Amino acid sequence: MYKMNLTGGIFGALLCSPVLGQIHHFYSGFFSGDSLYGIEFNEASSKLNVVYNGSLDLSSSKWVATDKEKRNIYITDENTYQSYSIDKNYSLVYKGNVSISENCDNTNYIVSSTAKPYTVFGAPYSEGCPGQVIAVDASGTLESVKANITYSSDSGVHGLALSSDNRFIYSGDDMGSAVWTHSYDESTNTVSKLQRLNVTRNPRHLVVSPQGSFVYVILEENNQLAVFNRDKFTGILSGRNKTYSLLPSSYSNRSLYWSDEVMFSVPQHNDKYPKYLFASVRSKTSTDPGFVAAFSLDSTTGSIKDRPFLLPTTGPGGASNSITPATFSEDYFAIADAQDNFIEVWKLGDNATTAAVVAHLDVDDSPANLVWVD
């Protein structure tokens, strides 16, 4: 049922026997079907293996997220946010769901705050619909919507990001061509609209630098990464600092591509801030590859220093080409290809000037995104 292929590339000479601490796991949601996969990555042998294939009570297991403590998986599904706990052997146990209006039937993005009580934030990709602030219980199970994140009647939010102190919410308004800033007060459970910044060419997903000075935004139709200055104290964005192309300069027909994801690498050991920012592009054709870019970051300011590589991915990406940095090393990231139905793990090369596939797994459905849990 599953075909597992290993692409050695420049990293084919890895050790072949399992080593303690080199077995890692992640989950994949899908754009179709009712399954959610738990997948094991063996760092030593560079192999991927499905360890959990659960048929869940879902219409589709689209976007998935995990809580800060990696005890729960949250899934967007039509007009609900589903909540599952991670059990032994990486199986999932249903805990409940939180419903929103049936008129907002496309819950699309979900993210957990990084400090107790680990409040969860979600957004449906439906015109004129608000986002949600969702309470969780002591175990991390989703409980109820406790506040709304309001936008304009023409808005359709596709991505959310939180500041490192969880006091500010940033929204990529793909339909309304804007980036929104809201403040959130946990003590009073109050969401306040602070700013709508008009941004052309479909802002999609976004992240806030941990140092606090920048917000990085994917401009989906322009195939660019935009950098916005941010006031650390007020949360307000003051304007576009710079943009970086996510396609090679030789590509003239940029309408054949649409950019997708932006994510920070996960700091390791005593490092406080990430070394890299990754971004991905999808192809609109079934024959041309997408792209993945890496940006190196200044450890003090969080600003971009340079772009070590811009590489074609091994497939078009389709509706996804979502990139997810590993939690165990800043040298690894995973990609979900929804066009050709596969998942890959990549590793950075020497001096991070290139990257290559080290493990490949064909799957039966179209993977949406991935979340590492160990």
Side-chain angles (χ1 to χ4, degrees):
M1 185 177 181
Y2 302 100
K3 298 177 290 182
M4 284 173 284
N5 302 306
L6 173 63
T7 303
I10 60 174
F11 302 104
L14 294 175
L15 297 174
C16 295
S17 58
V19 177
L20 184 65
Q22 291 189 325
I23 304 296
H24 314 286
H25 298 84
F26 59 88
Y27 289 90
S28 174
F30 292 88
F31 285 120
S32 60
D34 60 358
S35 293
L36 191 136
Y37 290 1
I39 300 170
E40 177 184 277
F41 171 57
N42 187 319
E43 186 183 348
S45 64
S46 289
K47 290 184 178 179
L48 289 169
N49 182 48
V50 176
V51 295
Y52 172 76
N53 179 2
S55 181
L56 309 178
D57 186 18
L58 301 168
S59 300
S60 64
S61 56
K62 285 195 302 186
W63 209 257
V64 294
T66 183
D67 61 343
K68 170 68 174 177
E69 296 183 348
K70 311 295 184 184
R71 296 187 299 166
N72 298 277
I73 295 291
Y74 307 128
I75 309 169
T76 64
D77 180 45
E78 293 192 337
N79 72 320
T80 66
Y81 299 102
Q82 303 277 353
S83 186
Y84 292 80
S85 65
I86 301 173
D87 202 8
K88 59 184 179 180
N89 300 321
Y90 297 92
S91 62
L92 297 178
V93 178
Y94 175 73
K95 291 297 184 179
N97 71 77
V98 171
S99 298
I100 61 173
S101 167
E102 292 183 0
N103 295 325
C104 302
D105 60 353
N106 188 18
T107 54
N108 181 76
Y109 202 93
I110 191 164
V111 61
S112 174
S113 62
T114 56
K116 289 183 178 180
Y118 302 125
T119 299
V120 170
F121 301 81
Y125 187 51
S126 297
E127 187 173 16
C129 290
Q132 288 77 39
V133 181
I134 306 169
V136 300
D137 66 16
S139 70
T141 298
L142 301 179
E143 285 192 315
S144 61
V145 174
K146 58 179 182 175
N148 284 323
I149 311 165
T150 58
Y151 307 105
S152 297
S153 60
D154 63 346
S155 293
V157 168
H158 205 287
L160 297 172
L162 304 176
S163 58
S164 59
D165 59 7
N166 302 295
R167 292 178 53 238
F168 297 95
I169 310 162
Y170 296 88
S171 306
D173 186 352
D174 198 319
M175 292 184 190
S177 293
V179 173
W180 293 80
T181 305
H182 291 76
S183 64
Y184 177 63
D185 187 328
E186 183 75 54
S187 64
T188 61
N189 192 37
T190 303
V191 177
S192 301
K193 242 188 282 190
L194 300 182
Q195 180 186 34
R196 172 180 174 156
L197 183 65
N198 292 328
V199 179
T200 58
R201 310 304 290 176
N202 306 87
R204 181 179 169 86
H205 292 173
L206 65 174
V207 290
V208 185
S209 66
Q211 295 91 331
S213 297
F214 305 102
V215 172
Y216 294 100
V217 183
I218 289 290
L219 303 183
E220 182 179 36
E221 291 300 326
N222 226 30
N223 293 297
Q224 290 179 325
L225 176 69
V227 186
F228 291 89
N229 295 318
R230 174 181 180 270
D231 188 292
K232 295 180 183 181
F233 303 102
T234 66
I236 294 294
L237 306 184
S238 59
R240 194 177 308 186
N241 176 293
K242 195 171 183 179
T243 55
Y244 296 85
S245 175
L246 298 176
L247 291 174
S249 58
S250 59
Y251 277 55
S252 57
N253 194 350
R254 293 175 172 248
S255 63
L256 296 179
Y257 297 88
W258 47 339
S259 293
D260 180 48
E261 189 61 275
V262 58
M263 296 280 281
F264 288 112
S265 62
V266 179
Q268 302 296 307
H269 309 300
N270 295 322
D271 292 339
K272 187 175 181 180
Y273 299 118
K275 294 179 182 178
Y276 308 112
L277 181 70
F278 296 104
S280 63
V281 175
R282 304 162 289 170
S283 170
K284 292 182 180 179
T285 74
S286 61
T287 55
D288 296 314
F291 286 90
V292 57
F295 299 88
S296 62
L297 302 173
D298 184 277
S299 61
T300 302
T301 65
S303 62
I304 289 175
K305 294 194 297 184
D306 57 18
R307 189 185 68 191
F309 62 76
L310 174 62
L311 299 170
T313 53
T314 58
S320 184
N321 230 26
S322 175
I323 185 168
T324 308
T327 55
F328 59 89
S329 169
E330 289 190 272
D331 291 336
Y332 288 89
F333 58 86
I335 290 181
D337 188 299
Q339 177 71 41
D340 290 344
N341 296 353
F342 65 77
I343 293 165
E344 290 178 335
V345 174
W346 290 51
K347 185 180 181 182
L348 303 188
D350 292 339
N351 301 315
T353 57
T354 188
V357 179
V358 294
H360 177 108
L361 177 70
D362 291 309
V363 294
D364 292 338
D365 294 304
S366 301
N369 80 310
L370 314 166
V371 288
W372 292 89
V373 293
D374 60 23

